[in-house]
Amino acid sequence: MPIALALIGALLGALVPPVAYRLSVPYGEPARSACAACGTPLRWRPGRCPACHARLGPPVWLTALLGAVTFGTLTWALGPVPVLPAFLVVAALGVLLGAIDVACHRLPDPLVALGVGLAIPLLGLAGPHLLVRAGLGALTMAGGYLLLALLPGANLGFGDVKLAGLLGLLLGWLGWPAVLLGALLPHLLNGPVVLVLLLSHRVRRDTALPLGPALLAGAWLAVVAIGLSSRYLR
Ligand SMILES: [Zn+2]
């Protein structure tokens, strides 16, 4: 089953680049409908612009790989449980959100709202009695990141706060250890990445880096770790 779900994840991941390219625009601007380099109308398939060969969105191998790895590991760690679809839906959206955040430092509200709108009923179907804890997890994660965002010189925005809320729903559904791990891991992950980028002169000290991918990766690792521990250590 993890292999089959990994293949579905790869397929969904492969659909991400053209969507991410259209949505990777500055705040308030409409989605792109043409190649930013030459104006050729976009088509709904991954790859380069047919006219000027500019790459349209992230490499398809990368998003397909991320889809396969997240779908495969989440299915492996959680097992064939009723709540699995909630986690896979948010994982697929997460690949898209991460790609957009890397491209233009934005986590579009409609996509995060879509994640919340899909996650709440899917979590509720799988375990209605856990929805209160899921809601508290969302408030804890969003509240924690809101405090960080309000600190002077903060390197995170309100998009990150809202994404933390969405991830907090899923982590809270799993339990408080998952919320704690999911809140801490992004910072542990981001530290070494920033250090490598600084040492290789890919970024400067004052470069604003997107936090979304670290939030998503931290939540993913937290779910896998908690899922595995509850399955195999009990
Ligand atoms: Zn072009």
Side-chain angles (χ1 to χ4, degrees):
M1 180 141 150
I3 305 286
L5 266 300
L7 287 175
I8 294 173
L11 273 174
L12 289 174
L15 299 175
V16 160
V19 183
Y21 186 74
R22 280 159 204 258
L23 297 179
S24 296
V25 290
Y27 183 77
E29 284 191 13
R32 280 193 189 116
S33 57
C35 168
C38 75
T40 302
L42 296 176
R43 295 174 302 175
W44 285 106
R45 58 189 196 87
R48 291 175 180 269
C49 170
C52 73
H53 300 286
R55 204 178 67 206
L56 305 176
V60 65
W61 64 263
L62 179 61
T63 52
L65 182 68
L66 287 171
V69 169
T70 51
F71 270 52
T73 51
L74 288 170
T75 306
W76 169 58
L78 294 171
V81 288
V83 79
L84 185 60
F87 285 83
L88 297 184
V89 160
V90 174
L93 268 178
V95 176
L96 178 59
L97 282 165
I100 296 171
D101 201 16
V102 168
C104 69
H105 284 221
R106 283 193 57 217
L107 295 160
D109 284 342
L111 288 179
V112 177
L114 176 65
V116 173
L118 291 169
I120 290 176
L122 288 171
L123 293 173
L125 280 174
H129 58 294
L130 296 173
L131 271 185
V132 172
R133 193 175 64 196
L136 291 175
L139 287 176
T140 306
M141 285 281 287
Y145 277 89
L146 179 63
L147 286 180
L148 287 180
L150 294 174
L151 287 178
N155 186 21
L156 76 164
F158 291 105
D160 299 311
V161 174
K162 294 170 205 164
L163 176 61
L166 166 60
L167 300 173
L169 265 181
L170 299 167
L171 296 165
W173 196 93
L174 284 183
W176 291 110
V179 176
L180 185 65
L181 260 185
L184 294 179
L185 278 173
H187 305 285
L188 298 180
L189 292 172
N190 233 15
V193 172
V194 170
L195 192 64
V196 167
L197 290 173
L198 278 173
L199 291 176
S200 62
H201 301 287
R202 299 276 300 274
V203 300
R204 298 195 338 221
R205 285 178 68 88
D206 54 354
T207 309
L209 288 170
L211 188 66
L215 276 171
L216 290 158
W220 162 61
L221 287 177
V223 172
V224 169
I226 296 292
L228 288 180
S229 68
S230 64
R231 277 184 79 191
Y232 297 110
L233 297 182
R234 195 168 273 168

